[in-house]
Amino acid sequence: MTQMIVLAVVVLLFFWLSRSFSKNQHTYSKSQFSGFKLTKENLAYSELGLFVALSAKVAKADGRVDELEAELVSNMFNDISLLFPNPEATKKMLKEIFDEEKNAPHNLDPVAQALYKALENDPHKRQKMMEFLVNLTYIDGTLSHAEEEMLRLISKHLHFGEADLAAMLERFGSYHRHSVKESSIDQAYALLNLTSASTNDEVKKAYRSLVREYHPDIIKSQGASDEYLKEATEKVQEINAAYEMIKKSRGI
């Protein structure tokens, strides 16, 4: 009887450990990078550095990085840098990597291939990263031909089928169609917690603060449900639409 109880405890312990590993193997934590030797080269060739490089190319695919994309990328730097021993130095390096890679579309293939190699055994992370890249193209409300072609190349290198990418494009396109609603200028001010008496600087500050609060977080998304990215995407798109309406009304 005692042996049966011991065996049952061992089985339960093994089951718990297996589930715990399965749940956490696809997420990022500070402990993973506690011994990371922080150099720009090491960071650039890490899976997160490669992801930042691809984000830069996608953000610049249509010729420019617009204001909302710049805000989201800046917040992404904050999220990623907090994983590393020296966040400020990490953030500086990430920005340098981004600035270099956004102007280097010619090396997209090797960067995407390197990311696949780093995540070959983790399809969950590849899925989440690909979703973020699709989200980045749609976040301003439009998907250009150049952006779509770049996404197709990246998805191919990350070993996603055409149907997989088509589903992502439809999903994020749907998020945009359903989230950006026609509203009055008063509603736009209310969404940003402002009034028509607010100064231009106050408008800009409120916009950045809200985008920072609601932006899709690549780190948090790793262990989150599919609803997380949907809700974050829709909220940021609403904030951006309100901000654009206010800017237009003020001639900014």
Side-chain angles (χ1 to χ4, degrees):
M1 183 66 177
T2 302
Q3 289 179 328
M4 290 181 65
I5 293 174
V6 171
L7 180 60
V9 170
V10 170
V11 170
L12 286 172
L13 180 61
F14 178 77
F15 177 72
W16 177 81
L17 288 172
S18 297
R19 287 198 61 183
S20 178
F21 175 75
S22 177
K23 181 179 179 181
N24 295 315
Q25 65 174 324
H26 305 303
T27 61
Y28 291 107
S29 67
K30 292 184 70 172
S31 61
Q32 291 176 255
F33 300 93
S34 59
F36 188 86
K37 185 178 179 181
L38 186 61
T39 67
K40 185 177 173 181
E41 183 178 15
N42 286 347
L43 188 59
Y45 285 99
S46 70
E47 59 194 66
L48 289 170
L50 292 166
F51 173 71
V52 166
L54 287 182
S55 298
K57 298 177 192 304
V58 168
K60 189 71 180 293
D62 57 359
R64 62 185 291 270
V65 180
D66 70 22
E67 189 173 2
L68 178 57
E69 289 172 333
E71 287 295 325
L72 292 176
V73 167
S74 177
N75 290 324
M76 182 175 70
F77 293 160
N78 290 334
D79 300 330
I80 294 176
S81 64
L82 290 175
L83 293 171
F84 291 84
N86 189 333
E88 284 304 314
T90 302
K91 185 177 179 181
K92 182 175 181 293
M93 292 177 192
L94 288 172
K95 188 177 186 306
E96 290 173 358
I97 291 168
F98 183 91
D99 288 341
E100 291 169 5
E101 294 293 338
K102 73 180 182 182
N103 296 315
H106 59 277
N107 70 345
L108 183 144
D109 293 343
V111 171
Q113 289 165 1
L115 182 60
Y116 173 74
K117 187 174 181 180
L119 297 176
E120 185 175 1
N121 296 319
D122 199 331
H124 178 83
K125 279 183 182 175
R126 277 189 281 123
Q127 174 81 18
K128 290 299 181 182
M129 287 185 176
M130 192 66 219
E131 287 177 350
F132 262 83
L133 295 178
V134 174
N135 184 41
L136 189 60
T137 63
Y138 265 116
I139 202 72
D140 62 354
T142 60
L143 176 68
S144 70
H145 177 72
E147 288 173 328
E148 186 172 352
E149 286 303 302
M150 186 171 287
L151 289 175
R152 292 191 187 285
L153 280 174
I154 294 172
S155 67
K156 183 177 179 181
H157 287 305
L158 295 184
H159 289 223
F160 291 102
E162 290 186 10
D164 297 322
L165 178 61
M168 291 184 209
L169 292 173
E170 171 56 30
R171 186 159 79 250
F172 284 97
S174 175
Y175 291 171
H176 172 72
R177 290 192 295 272
H178 293 135
S179 67
V180 179
K181 307 176 181 68
E182 290 294 328
S183 60
S184 68
I185 189 66
D186 289 338
Q187 289 172 319
Y189 278 116
L191 183 61
L192 269 60
N193 300 317
L194 299 168
T195 69
S196 58
S198 301
T199 65
N200 288 350
D201 286 342
E202 288 172 334
V203 169
K204 181 81 170 180
K205 185 177 179 181
Y207 170 70
R208 286 182 168 177
S209 177
L210 286 170
V211 171
R212 189 179 308 116
E213 180 179 354
Y214 291 105
H215 79 284
D217 183 341
I218 182 62
I219 305 305
K220 288 182 180 177
S221 79
Q222 301 301 314
S225 68
D226 291 341
E227 283 298 306
Y228 163 79
L229 195 55
K230 177 178 184 287
E231 292 171 1
T233 298
E234 290 178 344
K235 189 63 178 180
V236 167
Q237 287 174 337
E238 289 176 3
I239 293 165
N240 194 56
Y243 179 59
E244 291 298 327
M245 180 180 290
I246 293 171
K247 285 201 301 180
K248 185 176 180 180
S249 72
R250 291 178 174 226
I252 301 176

